[in-house]
Amino acid sequence: MGTPLMPWQQLVVDVALEVDPETGKLAYRTVIFKIPRQAGKTTLANAVTVHRAIAFRNIIGVPQKIIYTAQTGQDAFKKWSDQANDLEGILGKGRVHKRGGNNVPTLTFSNGSEYRPISVTKKSGPSQSNDLVHYDEAWGHENGHIESGLNPTMIARQQPQAWIYSNAGTRDSKWWKGKWELGRSLAIAKDTTQGICYFEWSADRSDPDYDPSNPEYVARHHPASNITIDLAGFRTEYLTMLADPDQGLEGFERAYCNVEPEDLLSQWIVITREKWRDAGVVDSIDGRREFAFDVTNDRSWASVAWAGVSTDGRSLPELVTHRRSTHWIVPYFEDIFDRYPKYRRRVYCVAGGAAATLEQDFKDADIELIMLGRAEYAAACGDYSDGLEDGTTVHLADGQDDLRDAIAGADWSTRSDARVWDRKKSTTILSPLVACTVAQRGFRISAEAEYDLLDSIA
């Protein structure tokens, strides 16, 4: 197409278009990359679109249907229109033809493949099947409605692929945050078996020399530096955005350092940041403990916790592990109870939620599953919150980052008199908090059940 790919672009296509030698099909159904602004993602998207429209038409034998989305339908149409004009100019009207208008704007290739923009809501989506979907500006989608509308259109196609890409998100970018967190976790684990490949070019706030005002620092983390953007360009953008009240330092950090706002998605509604910090201890559970777990509503994350009493007699719930999916939960508890037979084979969870769907699996593993009803769960949430406030509940100062993130973004439900953690209003994944809350309650329930009245007689 006349524009050589930059090194980062070449890396992405080389991996994203890998073919599984056993099946002869694409190795990855989902491609995710987190990239700073002005790195050339539109150029890459155009190249991928043309490759799909022409090469895959020949490989698969049927015209390819390609969809483009952005943060809104209007944004999608405008950006698609610019891309379509560029492609029409590069390829020539003999190979592609753009049909505009507000009905069904389409870029049609001479071989019958089509490229269209679309707006998808929770209640509506395209009726046609699609082979490639671009989720551009993924940070702008506050929920997964667009994905739930488009994914079913690809499931029956040969070698479909979803490309999800964006720069860093805002505090409302829950869907995008879930995507890049998943991709990053798979990359760290070097797990290439899930049909997802992930790429990221970002600065890091924890760097000792983190300094967005330093163009040399920014350039080290921007893949287009010294190719299409020089140090003077970064310096100008920094000064310009810093003077813009709608952008400021946070806007520059998102755009060019590719880092989320500090304390992303934190609200500190349930407890103040200071109270949480003060409740941190360097301690361990003294004696017996009770176990609990929780699963997010979409079953994408699960957490295991246990709770007992610290050496100074305070309640100490501890997040033990927080992982993707749910298949590992029952085997995890089986391993714990087999290795530590002194623990009762008993686990607590919340009734009516996704965790309760594993009831039969626990029964088959000979593990007692105790489910807290609404009132009991409300009492558990109140106990945990009150305990942090008055100092009777503590947490480990180290190794509890996922629990900290959960409580920082937690909010209360106001839908009934029973006040519990609200999964919809909260801005973070709550399963670490729910698991610790339930574990603490489970410990108190078991302690009351095993209390011997004679112990109180002098």
Side-chain angles (χ1 to χ4, degrees), residues 65 78 89 91 129 150 199 256 275 277 301 333 354-355 357 419 432 435 456:
K65 307 298 183 182
K78 183 180 184 304
L91 299 176
S129 295
L150 284 172
F199 311 85
Y256 294 101
K275 281 285 187 181
R277 184 185 61 240
W301 286 97
F333 279 113
T357 63
R419 195 174 71 153
S456 64

Side-chain angles (χ1 to χ4, degrees), residues 418-431:
R419 195 174 71 153
V420 298
W421 310 131
D422 194 312
R423 296 185 192 268
K424 292 184 177 181
K425 289 169 59 181
S426 299
T427 59
T428 49
I429 297 171
L430 285 190
S431 60

Side-chain angles (χ1 to χ4, degrees), residues 139-335:
W139 70 267
H141 300 297
E142 295 183 7
N143 52 55
H145 292 167
I146 191 166
E147 186 178 33
S148 62
L150 284 172
N151 274 3
T153 71
M154 296 192 291
I155 194 167
R157 301 293 281 184
Q158 296 184 52
Q159 307 200 55
Q161 228 176 24
W163 283 57
I164 307 172
Y165 45 92
S166 180
N167 64 296
T170 68
R171 292 175 177 83
D172 296 322
S173 304
K174 300 180 188 179
W175 180 73
W176 173 226
K177 183 173 186 284
K179 291 301 179 185
W180 65 254
E181 280 189 335
L182 169 60
R184 184 184 287 179
S185 67
L186 293 174
I188 291 172
K190 298 182 180 179
D191 186 350
T192 60
T193 66
Q194 306 302 315
I196 299 171
C197 61
Y198 179 73
F199 311 85
E200 179 176 340
W201 287 266
S202 300
D204 189 335
R205 292 186 184 278
S206 65
D207 286 346
D209 61 341
Y210 180 78
D211 184 4
S213 69
N214 181 356
E216 292 182 353
Y217 176 85
V218 177
R220 290 202 304 270
H221 299 87
H222 196 294
S225 62
N226 297 318
I227 301 175
T228 58
I229 307 177
D230 58 18
L231 294 182
F234 289 123
R235 185 179 294 108
T236 299
E237 278 296 284
Y238 175 77
L239 295 174
T240 300
M241 296 181 74
L242 205 64
D244 183 346
D246 293 329
Q247 296 287 345
L249 176 61
E250 185 175 288
F252 181 83
E253 289 177 304
R254 283 186 53 235
Y256 294 101
C257 297
N258 204 25
V259 295
E260 278 69 27
E262 199 164 14
D263 290 328
L264 174 66
L265 304 181
S266 296
Q267 305 178 112
W268 297 104
I269 292 174
V270 170
I271 186 174
T272 65
R273 189 198 316 263
E274 292 70 29
K275 281 285 187 181
W276 173 259
R277 184 185 61 240
D278 292 344
V281 298
V282 180
D283 206 338
S284 60
I285 294 176
D286 184 21
R288 68 180 185 84
R289 63 198 66 198
E290 292 293 332
F291 300 83
F293 78 101
D294 184 67
V295 177
T296 57
N297 288 339
D298 63 0
R299 301 172 65 88
S300 62
W301 286 97
S303 302
V304 168
W306 57 35
V309 177
S310 65
T311 55
D312 63 359
R314 292 185 289 180
S315 178
L316 175 53
E318 178 183 348
L319 178 66
V320 180
T321 187
H322 175 59
R323 304 182 190 176
R324 298 289 307 191
S325 191
T326 62
H327 64 278
W328 57 272
I329 297 172
V330 175
Y332 185 87
F333 279 113
E334 286 184 292
D335 180 62

